[in-house]
Structure formats: structure tokens, C-alpha cells
Amino acid sequence: MAVPKRKMSRSNTRHRRSQWKATTPNLVPVFLDGRAHQVPQHLVRAYQRGLLTPEE
């Protein structure tokens, strides 16, 4: 594991952390019971198998 040789200032730490941006999940259409639902791409199989149910 990388260990810093010197302490990073509070200002530098906050500037570094502020560069992180959240992205919206890619929604894809899934047909359940004859209706199309927009669900996140990584959860498509869970919806198809019935592990999750779309809320409306």
C-alpha cells in the first residue's frame, strides 16, 4: 500500500477530493409483464429473474 512521505494539507486534500464526480446509471428498457421499465444496466438480470420488482 502506498504511504505518503509527507502530510498533505487540508486545502490540497479537499481540492483533490472535489474532482470526483458521480455519474448517472445507464438506464435500459426491460419488458416485464408486457410493460417496458427503465432499469440500471447492471440490474437487468435481477429484474428478469424476479429478484427485484420495479416500483411505479
Side-chain angles (χ1 to χ4, degrees), residues 30-32 42-54:
V30 173
F31 292 94
L32 301 171
H42 68 281
L43 295 176
V44 170
R45 284 197 178 157
Y47 281 101
Q48 290 172 343
R49 293 177 181 170
L51 300 174
L52 295 174
T53 57

Side-chain angles (χ1 to χ4, degrees), residues 1-55:
M1 187 169 97
V3 178
K5 288 191 173 186
R6 295 178 188 271
K7 181 177 180 178
M8 183 179 270
S9 70
R10 179 180 294 174
S11 176
N12 284 343
T13 301
R14 291 180 178 167
H15 280 290
R16 177 176 46 82
R17 288 179 181 168
S18 69
Q19 298 304 312
W20 182 85
K21 302 289 188 289
T23 58
T24 58
N26 296 333
L27 297 179
V28 294
V30 173
F31 292 94
L32 301 171
D33 300 328
R35 297 179 61 196
H37 299 278
Q38 294 286 336
V39 298
Q41 186 175 2
H42 68 281
L43 295 176
V44 170
R45 284 197 178 157
Y47 281 101
Q48 290 172 343
R49 293 177 181 170
L51 300 174
L52 295 174
T53 57
E55 298 176 12

